Amino acid sequence: MSAPTVPAAGAETTAPPRPRRSALARFARNREAVLGFAVIAAVVAVSVLAPWLAPHDPNAADAESVLAPTGSAGHLLGTDEQGRDVLSRLLYGGRTALVVSVVSVTAALVAGTAVGLFAAFAGRRASGALMRLVDLMFAFPVILVALSLAAVVRPGAWVLAGTVVFGAVPYVARIVFAEARVEREKDYVEAARSLGASEAAIVCTEVLPNLASSVVIYGTSLVGVNIVFTASLSALGLGVQPPDADWGRMISEGAKVLVTGSPGVATFPALAVLLVALAFNWLGDGLRDVLNP
Amino acid sequence: MNAVLTVQGLSVEFALPGARIEAVRGVDLEIGEGEVLALVGESGSGKSVTAAAILGLLPRDARVTAGGVRFRGTELVGLPERRLNAHRGSGIGMIFQNPVTSLDPSFAVGSQLGDTARLHLGVSRSEAARVAGTWLERVGIPDPDRVLRSYPHELSGGMRQRVMIALAALSGPDLLIADEPTTALDATVQKQILDLLLGLSAETGTAVLLITHDFGVVAHTGSRVAVMREGEIVEVGETRRVLDAPSHPYTRSLIASVPEIGRGRPSAARHARPARSAGPSSDEAILELRGVSKEFALGGFGTGRHRTTVRAVGDVSLSVRRGETFGLIGESGSGKSTLARLSGALLPPTAGSVLFDGADAAAADARGRRDLRRRFQYVFQDAATALNPRLTAGDQIARPLVRLGKAANRREAAALTARALELVGLHAAHADRYPREFSGGQRQRVSIARAIALEPDLLVLDEPTSALDVSTQASILDLLFDLKDELGLTYVFIGHDLAVIESVCDRIGVMRHGSLVETFPVDDLFAGDRHPATRALLDAVLPIGAAHEAKEIS
Amino acid sequence: MARRILWRLVNVVPLLFVISLLVFFISQAGPADPVRGALSQKMSPAQIEQIRQAYGLDRPAWAQYLSWLKDMVAHGGGVSLSLRSPVSGIVFPAFRNTLLLVAGATLLTVVLGVAIGFVAGIRHGRLADRVTMLLVQVGSNLPIYWLGLIIIYLTAVERRWLPAGGMHDLRGDGGFGDLLLHLVAPSFAASLVSTLIIARFVRAAVIESERSDYVRTYRSQGFGRAAILGKHVGRNVLPPIVNITGLTVGSVITGVVFVETIFSWPGIGSVLLNAIAASDYPVIQSGVLLVAVTFVLVNLATDVVLDLLNPRLRHGAA
């Protein structure tokens, strides 16, 4: 044990600041985050490059080789009921789901954050009315939104997008509202006010930076959730329409042959969905550790 | 001495991600039968960890790495949970710091006391209820029947701590461990609770291990004291001897840092008492409150509750002179912080007016208000929350400079920021640090730098040292004094610790239930005609010096 | 207390009003003319106009809304455009079947979710916790459609334990036991995502409660872990569990609609999907409204139960 030394009054102030590790370095050390990021980057790259990578036209039916088993020559992952190459369809099948999920969740994050922040700083009545509206959206089972939208605009990518936004906005708004209410009561908000900041400046430059990491973390895992969700909607026939390749549709199209000896047709897209969703979850969890040390 | 509890060479280690921290290193303690031992130390000294280790209540990431704890001849360290439970409660009772969170919010007090009585005394349900009632009376609760049916949230902090004491003492343990039992309470309640604890100990012959950071509490209670620092015991001895003639330099510097009532500034300060009024105090009022009241509305439309108003501040008139340090003291809930916010036009008053330098703050136009904001600055109690955790220290100082027109551009603001940081004893390079990268004392310095960078006239200090250790408190008080002289500031100093207020202020205002009951020059504090509220605060002070024997005051 | 519950009841009214408005506008905003969609044969404009009048489609929107609402409340909607029979006869039996499945799935969700969450929470950081939570993560990210297929394959094809789909065995007597047997697999599939939400939530609540100061108080008093878990942890995690259960009923309903087609369950999901394909707006509106209103009532019940569980409300605020 070292000999006790008496801290002189004010000694704490003399230490010069030490260099610190950047957020990027912390990210690189976080295995979960890196793994999630790598998987997502790979899937995005494959989806973008699908026209060059795919061995076959995803919609070309080959009557010669219907339901070829996994590993057959020319069809690495086999073919489906109509003789379409499963691997090629798999490479194309993530495009709509990824774009719809990322874009819709981003839109929902922006809208939900705006609503939550506004409600947190608005007067009691405005905030009460707004949050009741949010609760109303919260109360509406999302599948009903999908069904109603499908009745209005016909099944397709817009139904997926609308449903994801509608489902995600109230979640984001509630989280932002709850966190902003906590932040609002902290002294730094009052300190900013005493230092002449306007309410708008307080919300945008003081409080928002404190919520940003939560929103990003939450948004990342929301993308994962919605990849799975949109796949289910498409499987139900509310999303991507045939003949376009889509993981969700491939699952429902492969359903008929799953029990009759061709499990791969439905299982490969299901595994793709699982992998991508897990990757977003890992990235979200990893970001939580990186952004909230 | 016949020891109830012997702690020998106790070491506790925390396994945190990426680091192992030895929080307790080879601690030896011995508590005799019926003895009161005070364990004193600053935050992070390992005193609470030691207490938790005795009862095997360490958090999951901590473990005892060496040493042992013998209670009545039984080794407690390494004992399985089931065997340990035979000693918990019945042999050693524990009282925790925060009575608000330490009682289960979902059960009535009577049910919680009754469960304990049934477990340890093996009595029937109805007998347990009777025991609970008698114990509530013993801990000085006037209407035990009502309290038995109450839920914790319906009781005041002091009442809850009495219930905690009843809960711990009911099973007749040989030893009570009290971990900062009065830290969360007001000064006047603190003394009552301490005396209750000591009374119980004397009555039943129960030994007490009292953990505290407050030397006043040590002086008031312990027959012996152990001083802890960075996980080690640096000094043990008879309380009077340690307080009057500390042998370890750390103890000496700690005690010297404690402001003592009636003695002026603590010795760590470079200013002798006369220096206090050296500032150019004049008769000119820089801040004047005229009949100011503030009411808050609770409940009402949309909440499903009846609308009620609570009067936080009622009809306060007050004037603060340029160059003086005006102290505002009162218990929690007395309205002192609300009054400070009213004075700074952070809250609009319900009635009355606030004059700053002769001009009504409410009547000021946008430009006038901006000027007022600059000239009137705040330092909040807890810099950990008063600084925005996501902005660098430099940003937080520089932004208001530009906003309030003190600096024309970012470059100028950066220069002023560097100067302000150096003025408060930090380095200009600290500007790009985030608040979490500073220690508690450094954070409060950043907070002060942010305020003085604007070159204000008046600084409202809202309990600026309450969240800090005593040694840090002394250095921050020193800094404030230096700045006042250097920059010609006027201070409104809000506090709950009369000794601190007395040591730094020229005049004192006492608040109670939202009213300012009296104001007087600091030298008249001990005058005979002081208001009962002031006298209650004086009586609650626990002095450490030999000149004021604890008994004399109480 | 009574005031608060009354306030909650009052709050439900505007909520129901807005939902009914939105549902009403499904047919207004739809791209397909309901009449034209329903009657594909060639008709003269006069004939079409006649039918429009018969359905009341020529009146102003608010009048249509009022009569529509009256119709909905009085007898569950008008006449199906595609099936030419009263909507109530189509929607109500299907909704009853769906409710059955929702009830089964909710029961499984709560029982399994709380059990898994509690076990993982008290074994926090141990192997049991890690394995469980990994399964939870994987399970909640599986596409439900595929999972349903796998369940059918494992329980009905590979081993003949359970029926492959439907509500009743066609050759059997259609008794209650038979129904239960048919309920097991779809309930499980529909409950999975919600189960995992609850499990995660309960685990976090248990961990938090075990770290709380009051649990430390009871540990210091010598109470055994089982007693503390049963009484203090249990009581304090109950309100959040009720809360999250109320909120997951929505996701259970979603799960049920996903599952109905896989297990050929004759519920509201299949009815709605068919109605969408046929642009049969009366059926869509009636079905959506029915589910939405049920959901709102479930949430109302949850809130009231939470109020009753809160000692702060029962005994007046401090």
Side-chain angles (χ1 to χ4, degrees), chain A:
Chain A
M1 295 297 116
S2 60
T5 50
V6 186
E12 56 179 19
T13 60
T14 54
R18 276 161 305 166
R20 58 167 181 256
R21 196 180 285 149
S22 71
L24 196 67
R26 279 204 306 271
F27 183 90
R29 283 168 52 92
N30 189 310
R31 258 186 305 174
E32 243 185 339
V34 171
L35 182 64
F37 183 78
V39 170
I40 293 166
V43 170
V44 168
V46 163
S47 297
V48 170
L49 300 176
W52 294 277
L53 293 177
H56 297 273
D57 178 345
N59 293 332
D62 181 0
E64 301 290 298
S65 61
V66 168
L67 290 177
T70 305
S72 12
H75 299 290
L76 196 57
L77 298 182
T79 57
D80 68 5
E81 239 183 346
Q82 301 176 32
R84 295 177 295 192
D85 182 50
V86 171
L87 176 61
S88 305
R89 289 180 72 73
L90 205 57
L91 296 180
Y92 277 92
R95 293 178 142 203
T96 314
L98 276 171
V99 170
V100 165
S101 299
V102 171
V103 172
S104 312
V105 167
T106 309
L109 290 182
V110 173
T113 305
V115 170
L117 268 180
F118 181 79
F121 281 83
R124 219 167 43 180
R125 263 180 215 205
S127 132
L130 202 57
M131 287 320 282
R132 233 187 347 270
L133 187 74
V134 168
D135 281 346
L136 188 145
M137 288 172 74
F138 209 81
F140 213 70
V142 219
I143 187 70
L144 292 188
V145 179
L147 290 167
S148 310
L149 274 176
V152 175
V153 298
R154 307 275 95 208
W158 285 108
V159 171
L160 299 181
T163 309
V164 170
V165 171
F166 192 98
V169 163
Y171 278 88
V172 179
R174 279 184 148 208
I175 284 195
V176 169
F177 177 74
E179 289 205 9
R181 284 298 276 251
V182 173
E183 295 297 318
R184 196 185 69 161
E185 298 307 317
K186 287 191 179 162
D187 286 345
Y188 75 80
V189 170
E190 196 165 27
R193 209 169 279 143
S194 81
L195 291 159
S198 64
E199 288 300 299
I202 287 174
V203 172
C204 298
T205 65
E206 300 278 338
V207 174
L208 193 56
N210 282 286
L211 302 179
S213 63
S214 300
V215 171
V216 168
I217 291 162
Y218 194 65
T220 308
S221 36
L222 261 185
V223 172
V225 169
N226 280 301
I227 295 267
V228 185
F229 185 63
T230 51
S232 295
L233 286 178
S234 290
L236 216 52
L238 296 172
V240 179
Q241 293 298 300
D244 287 354
D246 173 84
W247 293 337
R249 274 229 66 93
M250 289 169 74
I251 296 174
S252 63
E253 284 164 2
K256 295 165 220 130
V257 297
L258 183 96
V259 291
T260 56
S262 304
V265 183
T267 303
F268 287 120
L271 291 179
V273 170
L274 176 66
L275 183 69
V276 175
L278 283 178
F280 275 103
N281 272 309
W282 292 329
L283 183 62
D285 288 349
L287 284 178
R288 189 188 314 278
D289 298 338
V290 172
L291 296 176
N292 291 334

Side-chain angles (χ1 to χ4, degrees), chain B residues 2-5 29-33 35 37 175 207-209 224:
Chain B
N2 199 354
V4 178
L5 182 85
L29 282 176
E30 199 173 64
I31 304 168
E33 222 149 313
E35 185 192 27
L37 174 71
L175 171 68
V208 176
L209 173 61
R224 280 197 312 142

Side-chain angles (χ1 to χ4, degrees), chain B residues 244-281:
Chain B
D244 291 344
S247 60
H248 194 279
Y250 174 71
T251 318
R252 216 173 297 143
S253 84
L254 261 190
I255 292 175
S257 307
V258 180
E260 183 77 303
I261 196 134
R263 288 239 188 120
R265 303 268 291 121
S267 67
R270 275 155 285 168
H271 299 264
R273 191 158 186 191
R276 187 173 49 199
S277 43
S281 184

Side-chain angles (χ1 to χ4, degrees), chain C residues 20 60 71 157 176 184 200 213 227 241 251 256 300 302 314:
Chain C
S20 71
D71 217 30
V157 180
F176 188 64
V184 175
R200 228 176 253 189
D213 285 355
I241 289 176
S251 91
V256 163
L300 175 70
T302 313
R314 263 186 295 152

Side-chain angles (χ1 to χ4, degrees), chain B residues 56-57 60 81 85 88-89 96 101-104 106-107 112 115-116 120 151 153-154 167 302-305, chain C residues 3-4 7 124 213-214 216-224 231-232 235-236 311-313 315-318:
Chain B
L57 293 175
R60 299 173 70 109
E81 194 85 357
N85 275 342
R88 286 177 181 161
F96 298 96
T101 55
S102 294
L103 290 169
D104 190 333
S106 303
F107 290 92
Q112 306 197 37
D115 282 354
T116 307
H120 290 298
Y151 284 81
H153 72 269
E154 297 170 285
L167 202 59
T303 59
R305 293 198 188 148
Chain C
R3 207 179 136 89
R4 194 175 170 90
W7 177 245
H124 168 220
D213 285 355
Y214 56 82
R216 190 183 54 179
T217 303
Y218 289 96
R219 287 183 65 202
S220 82
Q221 290 276 315
F223 286 91
K231 185 158 187 179
H232 298 283
R235 177 62 181 79
N236 281 289
R312 276 165 207 271
L313 287 176
H315 287 257

Side-chain angles (χ1 to χ4, degrees), chain C residues 79-226:
Chain C
V79 176
S80 160
L81 296 176
S82 59
L83 299 174
R84 308 283 177 85
S85 58
V87 166
S88 53
I90 304 165
V91 170
F92 285 160
F95 185 59
R96 200 194 54 219
N97 295 342
T98 295
L99 276 187
L100 212 58
L101 196 47
V102 169
T106 308
L107 189 72
L108 273 182
T109 299
V110 174
V111 173
L112 287 179
V114 171
I116 293 173
F118 217 88
V119 169
I122 61 180
R123 307 291 299 172
H124 168 220
R126 311 274 182 81
L127 188 69
D129 173 37
R130 288 189 197 174
V131 171
T132 318
M133 286 337 272
L134 186 73
L135 287 179
V136 163
Q137 200 183 35
V138 171
S140 63
N141 285 306
L142 278 175
I144 196 166
Y145 206 97
W146 179 78
L147 187 76
L149 295 172
I150 294 298
I151 291 174
I152 293 177
Y153 178 72
L154 292 179
T155 62
V157 180
E158 189 76 353
R159 301 253 179 278
R160 298 189 168 272
W161 290 333
L162 293 172
M167 276 181 76
H168 298 285
D169 195 333
L170 292 175
R171 284 154 301 171
D173 54 356
F176 188 64
D178 182 46
L179 179 65
L180 277 185
L181 213 56
H182 281 80
L183 251 179
V184 175
S187 294
F188 178 75
S191 72
L192 201 71
V193 172
S194 325
T195 301
L196 304 172
I197 296 175
I198 291 194
R200 228 176 253 189
F201 188 86
V202 171
R203 173 178 177 269
V206 167
I207 291 172
E208 193 197 316
S209 180
E210 273 222 273
R211 282 191 188 141
S212 70
D213 285 355
Y214 56 82
V215 163
R216 190 183 54 179
T217 303
Y218 289 96
R219 287 183 65 202
S220 82
Q221 290 276 315
F223 286 91
R225 182 148 186 247

